[in-house]
Amino acid sequence: MVVVVDGMGGDFSPSAVVEGCVEALKEYDIDILITGSEELIRCELLKYTYDCNRIKIVDAKEVISTSEHPVMAIKRKKDSSLVKALNLVKSGDADAIISAGSTGAFLAGSTLIVGRIKGIDRPALAPIMPGKNGPFMIIDCGANAECKPHYLVQFGLMGKTYFENILKISNPSVGLVNIGTEEEKGNELSKSAHKLLKEANLNFVGNVEAREIPTGDTNILVCDGFVGNVILKLYEGAVANIFDILKTGIMSSFRTKLGGMLLKPVFKKFKADFDYKEYGGAAFLGVNGICIKAHGSSDAKAFKNAIKQAVIFNENNVVEKLKLEIEKLSEQEKNISNNL
Amino acid sequence: MVVVVDGMGGDFSPSAVVEGCVEALKEYDIDILITGSEELIRCELLKYTYDCNRIKIVDAKEVISTSEHPVMAIKRKKDSSLVKALNLVKSGDADAIISAGSTGAFLAGSTLIVGRIKGIDRPALAPIMPGKNGPFMIIDCGANAECKPHYLVQFGLMGKTYFENILKISNPSVGLVNIGTEEEKGNELSKSAHKLLKEANLNFVGNVEAREIPTGDTNILVCDGFVGNVILKLYEGAVANIFDILKTGIMSSFRTKLGGMLLKPVFKKFKADFDYKEYGGAAFLGVNGICIKAHGSSDAKAFKNAIKQAVIFNENNVVEKLKLEIEKLSEQEKNISNNL
């Protein structure tokens, strides 16, 4: 398997990218291509001992920043680390791409260059997040700010395929993010999507109010990309803020400092359980290749785990299975419309 | 001032309602009407010593449950504690209403019976939430699952009036909940609303990503009621879950139990700061009266604070000030269209 990594994406590139790649090479039987400034990446690689036949640099002179217009940047910066990496997936020279750069450009580029799976209307960003009773997926988390009801059924199917193949959880539960548990609650999108999800070949558990999301009791939460992005970021922000507040409290007196010291293992475990770095990146599902968006602030460990995620993706033929699932869905839809 | 309280709304009615009313009477110079089962409420009142000229029961034989269709229930159950209470505000026999019952029925009833302020297209539910650096308001939190861009400008103005008069924060900052900080980010609604908010007479700080909401650095966050409801409930759920997880960790060994004991003041302060009961209820802004939605699980303290909120509302003529603000907005809009 060949993994291409965007060497210039993320807050700590290329150093964290290179270190993550070297670490991954120790654990997985893969070849790695790193796109970006040959000079900078070579400099970083010099710090490590590794099998130099298995990491190759693909020189790219441009970098797409997070402030650029995604589609424009993809179209104009043909010599950017991201576009070069995406083209390697398209041409079949790489089996998977990982980038911690601009989310917008990554999503636009994956769709434009790698392309959609036939039958999928909109690929969707699908991070896995830590819940009290287990991990959960929010799909879509920002690729599609506007959605049609049937996209949400496709999101559910893609989430199911991911859970069954990557997380090895069979028949995962799928819930619709909504503002009430009753079927008739919500906006036009959620009301129509509810009807379609009930008919779909999914373990659909109905509407899920946002209060219940962090329990992790529902495996897959489907919603439009605007709502999903709000959930993803608010959850991150809420956790960070609570810990900031607790930290200030702990540092306020001798007694509380001692208490904080004694509770170190509890906080450490919490931090580890809630560490996005453990979960790799967010898969961009529905594109015709393995596209993993790593967190912008990814360190070497996060890159290594994103590579691991790509490896599992590849070993389990998730893209092929997604194609089969979506074909089945199209068949069902055809049958339904023939029977009407 | 006369406050009418829905005696049958909420998980702990009528006992928590009655206790809250008796407590409020000790602190504020008001008269209270409690609607609901005369027998049950009288029974509760017998437990306390209070000035019986100042609390009166308005008998109502029906109760609207949270599972009923809001508009249907309001139209059919004329003898319910909620409808009777709303009619007392409409007739001018009460200056404010507080209910911890069905949110949907409360919002529908307030709009249908008490009525909108002229010029306000959609009243909005506007709870105040605890942030790291101060409280913030999310408006709308569920009254309007679908919104037009100009509603969000009205939400901003209503929020501003509330902050200036109730929280005594002048020129509060207003942010648009969005999935990116750049102006062109988001869905159709947020893109159009951004343009209008920039032109409005508000301290508009631009788009705010959900990650930043819990800091409280932006006073007022405007969004449609679907997104607002997701934010409100996810925030509640995230806080609750984190504390559940920490609690389990603390109880896991002698060392951590001791640590937890030492940190009690920190946890206690956090709980107090994040206690919705301190904030009273969520104001339903834009209706022609003081309508406060108390949390479904309100205890006596929460009811007392919701009454306090109504008192401050009344003392500061917030409804009248909202009318003036919205008149000014209409004038501006007229001028703009005349100048075009």
Side-chain angles (χ1 to χ4, degrees):
Chain A
M1 178 191 186
V2 181
V3 177
V4 60
V5 184
D6 170 4
M8 311 309 279
D11 304 339
F12 309 111
S13 65
S15 65
V17 183
V18 170
E19 191 186 344
C21 289
V22 172
E23 287 300 314
L25 213 56
K26 291 180 192 160
E27 295 186 29
Y28 313 109
D29 181 25
I30 52 173
D31 293 293
I32 298 178
L33 303 170
I34 307 179
T35 59
S37 155
E38 189 161 7
E39 200 187 329
L40 289 175
I41 294 165
R42 190 169 306 285
C43 239
E44 289 297 326
L45 278 168
L46 281 173
K47 297 179 185 167
Y48 308 98
T49 317
Y50 63 96
D51 180 350
C52 55
N53 291 316
R54 308 208 83 171
I55 297 189
K56 295 236 159 69
I57 304 171
V58 178
D59 190 40
K61 305 243 180 290
E62 292 174 298
V63 175
I64 294 176
S65 78
T66 51
S67 60
E68 287 177 79
H69 188 282
V71 177
M72 299 283 210
I74 291 293
K75 289 193 172 163
R76 284 185 192 155
K77 291 193 163 171
K78 301 283 181 209
D79 195 22
S80 62
S81 56
L82 177 61
V83 172
K84 282 213 153 170
L86 288 165
N87 276 318
L88 288 165
V89 178
K90 194 196 175 183
S91 65
D93 293 307
D95 302 294
I97 172 174
I98 289 149
S99 174
S102 156
T103 306
F106 181 74
L107 300 181
S110 300
T111 311
L112 289 170
I113 297 171
V114 180
R116 286 179 289 130
I117 289 175
K118 201 186 143 195
I120 294 282
D121 286 275
R122 293 284 187 283
L125 194 62
I128 298 289
M129 293 157 79
K132 189 174 72 170
N133 304 322
F136 59 91
M137 169 186 278
I138 303 282
I139 181 168
D140 170 40
C141 259
N144 311 285
E146 314 272 359
C147 283
K148 290 184 178 162
H150 73 279
Y151 298 174
L152 272 61
V153 176
Q154 295 184 0
F155 295 169
L157 271 177
M158 295 197 285
K160 179 190 170 188
T161 310
Y162 187 99
F163 258 75
E164 295 195 325
N165 290 283
I166 305 279
L167 301 178
K168 309 291 179 196
I169 292 174
S170 65
N171 204 26
S173 52
V174 176
L176 172 66
V177 177
N178 209 337
I179 61 173
T181 49
E182 303 86 352
E183 185 170 343
E184 69 279 5
K185 283 280 171 78
N187 54 18
E188 291 309 316
L189 172 66
S190 63
K191 280 185 253 186
S192 304
H194 189 108
K195 287 195 191 103
L196 296 178
L197 284 159
K198 271 205 316 192
E199 305 297 323
N201 184 26
L202 291 168
N203 176 13
F204 180 55
V205 296
N207 294 340
V208 174
E209 289 195 86
R211 191 184 288 119
E212 303 303 323
I213 293 174
T215 61
D217 290 337
T218 304
N219 299 129
I220 299 157
L221 281 317
V222 298
C223 53
D224 70 61
F226 192 98
V227 168
N229 195 271
V230 166
I231 293 171
L232 172 73
K233 289 178 181 162
L234 181 65
Y235 197 52
E236 247 187 60
V239 172
N241 266 276
I242 290 169
F243 275 84
D244 274 0
I245 294 170
L246 289 181
K247 209 175 166 184
T248 308
I250 288 170
M251 297 313 286
S252 66
S253 76
F254 177 74
R255 170 190 167 149
T256 52
K257 274 182 195 164
L258 185 63
M261 229 178 62
L262 291 170
L263 281 188
K264 230 176 194 166
V266 174
F267 291 132
K268 217 172 152 181
K269 185 177 179 307
F270 185 94
K271 257 196 152 169
D273 289 348
F274 273 71
D275 188 1
Y276 68 86
K277 292 165 199 145
E278 291 293 339
Y279 289 85
F284 189 43
L285 299 176
V287 279
N288 200 8
I290 303 171
C291 299
I292 310 277
K293 173 67 187 68
H295 200 286
S297 62
S298 287
D299 61 8
K301 183 178 160 195
F303 276 106
K304 197 203 78 181
N305 281 325
I307 293 171
K308 174 182 166 187
Q309 199 180 1
V311 170
I312 303 173
F313 230 95
N314 189 55
E315 278 172 356
N316 290 280
N317 291 312
V318 178
V319 175
E320 292 309 312
K321 282 177 185 155
L322 274 172
K323 287 179 187 171
L324 287 176
E325 280 291 340
I326 215 70
E327 265 171 34
K328 267 197 268 170
L329 180 68
S330 311
E331 284 302 319
Q332 278 162 16
E333 280 169 355
K334 252 185 240 159
N335 289 339
I336 289 170
S337 60
N338 286 343
N339 289 337
L340 285 180
Chain B
M1 180 194 186
V2 181
V3 177
V4 60
V5 185
D6 170 4
M8 310 309 279
D11 303 343
F12 309 112
S13 66
S15 63
V17 183
V18 170
E19 191 186 342
C21 289
V22 172
E23 287 301 314
L25 213 55
K26 291 180 191 159
E27 294 187 29
Y28 312 110
D29 181 24
I30 50 171
D31 293 293
I32 298 177
L33 303 170
I34 307 178
T35 58
S37 156
E38 190 162 7
E39 199 188 329
L40 289 175
I41 294 165
R42 191 169 304 285
C43 240
E44 288 299 326
L45 279 169
L46 281 173
K47 296 179 186 167
Y48 308 99
T49 315
Y50 63 96
D51 180 349
C52 55
N53 291 316
R54 309 208 81 170
I55 298 188
K56 295 238 158 68
I57 305 169
V58 178
D59 191 40
K61 305 244 179 291
E62 291 175 299
V63 175
I64 294 175
S65 79
T66 52
S67 61
E68 287 177 77
H69 187 284
V71 177
M72 298 285 210
I74 291 293
K75 288 193 173 163
R76 285 186 191 154
K77 290 192 164 172
K78 300 285 181 208
D79 195 22
S80 62
S81 56
L82 176 61
V83 172
K84 282 213 154 171
L86 288 164
N87 276 318
L88 288 167
V89 178
K90 194 197 175 182
S91 64
D93 293 308
D95 302 294
I97 171 175
I98 289 149
S99 174
S102 156
T103 305
F106 182 73
L107 301 181
S110 299
T111 310
L112 291 171
I113 296 171
V114 179
R116 286 180 288 128
I117 289 176
K118 201 186 142 197
I120 295 281
D121 287 277
R122 292 284 187 283
L125 195 62
I128 298 290
M129 292 157 79
K132 189 173 71 172
N133 304 322
F136 59 90
M137 169 186 276
I138 305 281
I139 180 168
D140 172 38
C141 259
N144 311 285
E146 314 272 0
C147 284
K148 289 183 179 163
H150 74 277
Y151 299 174
L152 272 61
V153 177
Q154 296 184 0
F155 296 170
L157 272 178
M158 294 197 285
K160 179 191 171 189
T161 310
Y162 187 98
F163 259 75
E164 296 196 323
N165 291 283
I166 306 279
L167 300 177
K168 309 293 178 192
I169 293 174
S170 65
N171 204 26
S173 52
V174 177
L176 172 68
V177 178
N178 208 339
I179 61 174
T181 50
E182 302 87 351
E183 185 169 343
E184 69 279 5
K185 284 280 171 74
N187 53 18
E188 291 310 317
L189 172 66
S190 64
K191 280 185 253 185
S192 305
H194 189 108
K195 287 194 192 105
L196 296 179
L197 285 160
K198 269 206 315 191
E199 305 298 321
N201 184 25
L202 291 169
N203 176 14
F204 181 56
V205 296
N207 294 341
V208 174
E209 289 195 88
R211 193 185 286 119
E212 303 303 324
I213 294 175
T215 61
D217 290 337
T218 305
N219 298 130
I220 299 158
L221 282 316
V222 297
C223 54
D224 71 61
F226 192 97
V227 168
N229 194 271
V230 166
I231 293 171
L232 172 75
K233 288 177 180 163
L234 180 64
Y235 196 54
E236 246 187 61
V239 172
N241 265 276
I242 290 169
F243 277 83
D244 274 2
I245 294 169
L246 289 181
K247 208 174 166 186
T248 307
I250 288 170
M251 298 311 288
S252 65
S253 76
F254 176 74
R255 169 190 168 150
T256 51
K257 274 182 197 165
L258 185 62
M261 227 178 62
L262 291 170
L263 281 188
K264 230 177 196 167
V266 174
F267 292 132
K268 218 172 151 181
K269 183 175 180 308
F270 184 94
K271 257 195 152 171
D273 289 347
F274 273 71
D275 188 1
Y276 67 86
K277 290 165 201 148
E278 291 292 340
Y279 289 86
F284 188 42
L285 299 176
V287 279
N288 199 7
I290 304 171
C291 299
I292 311 278
K293 174 67 187 67
H295 200 288
S297 63
S298 288
D299 61 8
K301 184 179 159 193
F303 275 106
K304 196 202 77 178
N305 281 324
I307 293 172
K308 175 182 166 186
Q309 198 180 0
V311 170
I312 303 173
F313 229 96
N314 189 55
E315 278 171 357
N316 290 280
N317 291 313
V318 178
V319 174
E320 293 310 312
K321 283 176 185 154
L322 275 173
K323 286 180 188 171
L324 288 177
E325 281 291 341
I326 215 69
E327 265 172 35
K328 269 196 268 171
L329 180 68
S330 310
E331 284 303 317
Q332 280 163 15
E333 280 168 355
K334 252 184 242 158
N335 289 339
I336 291 171
S337 60
N338 285 344
N339 292 336
L340 285 180

